[in-house]
Amino acid sequence: MTERTDILVIGGGLVGASLAIALDAAGCDATLVEAAAPKREPPPRYSERNLALARATVNGLRSLGVWPHAEAAATPIRRIHVSRVGEFGSARLDAAEAGVDAVGWTLPARELGHALQLRLDACTALRRRAPATVRALQPVEDGWLARIDDADGERELHARLLVGADGTASMVRDALGIEADTHDYAQTLFVCTVTPERPLRGCAYERFSDDGPVALLPLTDDRAGLVMTVAADEAERVSALDDEAYIALAQQRFGWRAGRLRQPGMRFAHPIRRAAARRVVGPRAVLVGNAAQTIHPIGAQGFNLGLRDALTLAECVIGAADPGDADLLHAYAERRAPDREGVMAMSHGLIRLACLPQPWLGPLRSLGLLSGALVPPLRDALVRHGMGFRGQPPRAVLEQVP
């Protein structure tokens, strides 16, 4: 027997779940297929990847009813300090100067996942298939046919719109025949939680060097999220370090602005690769989040960009007579292009420029940082873009919804 649904979302990660919630809130006929069963256990404090959520992202999560479940675990970012080892220039951005209480918030990823699950549990129109495995995707005249396995066995789902929110190695993207431009940065990202000797008090740090960026993000209870990039050929050695040696390396890379770093939590390592889909829409199908673009984590823009994908798509399809209409999907892609291309260019260009070892670039980099902090038009643009307001944002992320 074939079940019919207007919108089929493949992938129940942070972006796919957010899209499903937005569709449910509008009463859309939607189905979410999730590979893993929902997890509802309380998240640990010292074994977490941490997210830097832009102000626009938090506005969007508020509009979805997700933020009340996560707010207690979030920490406001009121200042951002950017510098490079051995160079005189630095940039300091302040929320108060921008007229806001925070430019963003930090939140453990599992806390956000937990909040999304709580909000998904309250959905009334959404159908969820979890855990479920997608066995095949087949285009048909008026949509897509998906064959999935779940706890009840094999079933077929017919959708007028197929949404790929299934990550970097997207099955939906492959089914659409969309190629992705890839780039291996030959870097590995290590993340963990630490306790700095001097509390960050709402300040987020990003520090560049020839070896890659290091970030320190404020968390609750005077903790901090440590994000350190190392060369891929050094990853195995760094993984084998004990806590004392690992903290010594992080201290050497980051410096002493926060005093001595202590109490490292569980470490997680992630190879860093870029994958940008050459198109984000196809016949009755669309890609969002990492399926559309997986970017370098510098600037922590991945989920922020993906949520704007999801909320813009929801805004386009809600109320539409046919959510898979070609003109509608083309309009979605056109609307997302400036934000998507701008963030991808920024993340790719910044890592290549800020971490290049050529000494002659030092004065230019320093002047660039100083200009971004001291020249009002440049500073205002940096702050606005950093807060997630670029191009034509979805209404759900604006400060005041018209």
Side-chain angles (χ1 to χ4, degrees):
M1 180 178 177
T2 300
E3 300 178 13
R4 300 187 73 86
T5 185
D6 276 352
I7 304 169
L8 177 60
V9 182
I10 305 294
L14 302 181
V15 173
S18 299
L19 173 60
I21 291 166
L23 296 173
D24 176 83
C28 295
D29 177 19
T31 300
L32 175 65
V33 175
E34 307 168 70
K39 295 181 180 179
R40 296 183 175 89
E41 70 275 9
R45 283 160 48 91
Y46 266 84
S47 60
E48 193 48 64
R49 177 172 64 100
N50 297 291
L51 300 172
L53 305 178
R55 185 176 185 86
T57 297
V58 172
N59 289 346
L61 294 173
R62 282 198 180 101
S63 76
L64 295 175
V66 172
W67 193 243
H69 299 298
E71 188 171 9
T75 304
I77 299 174
R78 298 192 171 92
R79 297 178 308 283
I80 299 175
H81 184 279
V82 182
S83 62
R84 193 182 192 280
V85 173
E87 296 178 7
F88 66 85
S90 65
R92 294 174 174 84
L93 306 178
D94 194 302
E97 294 179 358
V100 296
D101 59 338
V103 296
W105 281 259
T106 52
L107 181 71
R110 285 188 60 185
E111 293 281 4
L112 178 55
H114 183 61
L116 286 164
Q117 288 298 330
L118 292 175
R119 180 62 184 83
L120 281 169
D121 289 344
C123 289
T124 56
L126 177 72
R127 293 188 292 276
R128 300 175 67 187
R129 301 298 180 193
T133 301
V134 180
R135 296 299 182 189
L137 293 170
Q138 177 185 348
V140 292
E141 183 178 355
D142 56 348
W144 284 82
L145 198 64
R147 182 162 56 84
I148 70 167
D149 289 340
D150 61 14
D152 297 324
E154 185 176 300
R155 69 179 68 242
E156 286 187 340
L157 300 174
H158 178 281
R160 293 201 290 168
L161 174 64
L162 175 66
V163 181
D166 51 341
T168 305
S170 171
M171 179 182 183
V172 175
R173 191 178 66 225
D174 289 343
L176 288 169
I178 296 177
E179 294 184 3
D181 294 320
T182 62
H183 179 79
D184 188 344
Y185 289 99
Q187 294 176 332
T188 297
L189 190 74
F190 284 86
V191 297
C192 72
T193 302
V194 298
T195 299
E197 183 180 10
R198 291 196 291 272
L200 302 188
R201 304 196 187 285
C203 186
Y205 293 93
E206 183 104 48
R207 188 152 174 82
F208 297 101
S209 72
D210 294 352
D211 298 315
V214 178
L216 205 61
L217 307 172
L219 296 174
T220 57
D221 300 326
D222 291 336
R223 297 172 301 136
L226 174 64
V227 183
M228 181 167 62
T229 303
V230 304
D233 57 8
E234 285 288 297
E236 186 174 350
R237 181 186 68 81
V238 172
S239 292
L241 296 175
D242 61 22
D243 284 352
E244 183 178 356
Y246 183 77
I247 283 294
L249 174 63
Q251 198 85 64
Q252 174 191 348
R253 294 276 305 277
F254 177 75
W256 296 87
R257 284 184 172 85
R260 188 174 299 279
L261 304 177
R262 300 170 295 178
Q263 292 181 268
M266 188 180 299
R267 277 174 257 159
F268 296 86
H270 309 275
I272 304 175
R273 297 182 180 90
R274 182 180 189 264
R278 293 183 180 177
R279 293 182 288 115
V280 298
V281 299
R284 292 192 169 275
V286 60
L287 305 173
V288 297
N290 282 348
Q293 64 276 318
T294 300
I295 62 176
H296 195 287
I298 190 172
Q301 289 297 311
F303 172 67
N304 295 295
L305 185 62
L307 183 66
R308 297 197 293 275
D309 288 346
L311 294 177
T312 302
L313 179 61
E315 191 175 299
C316 289
V317 301
I318 288 172
D322 181 359
D325 177 74
D327 290 340
L328 182 152
L329 296 182
H330 177 73
Y332 163 80
E334 289 290 306
R335 182 172 166 185
R336 289 299 301 138
D339 186 19
R340 178 177 185 262
E341 293 169 5
V343 171
M344 286 196 298
M346 179 277 295
S347 65
H348 191 61
L350 188 56
I351 194 65
R352 293 171 67 86
L353 177 63
C355 298
L356 286 175
Q358 286 90 339
W360 63 269
L361 280 175
L364 295 177
R365 282 189 292 238
S366 292
L367 289 173
L369 286 173
L370 290 173
S371 298
L374 299 177
V375 178
L378 290 176
R379 183 186 64 228
D380 294 346
L382 284 173
V383 172
R384 179 174 172 79
H385 291 170
M387 291 194 294
F389 303 110
R390 182 197 294 268
Q392 186 183 353
R395 289 194 297 270
V397 309
L398 300 177
E399 295 293 292
Q400 293 183 348
V401 178

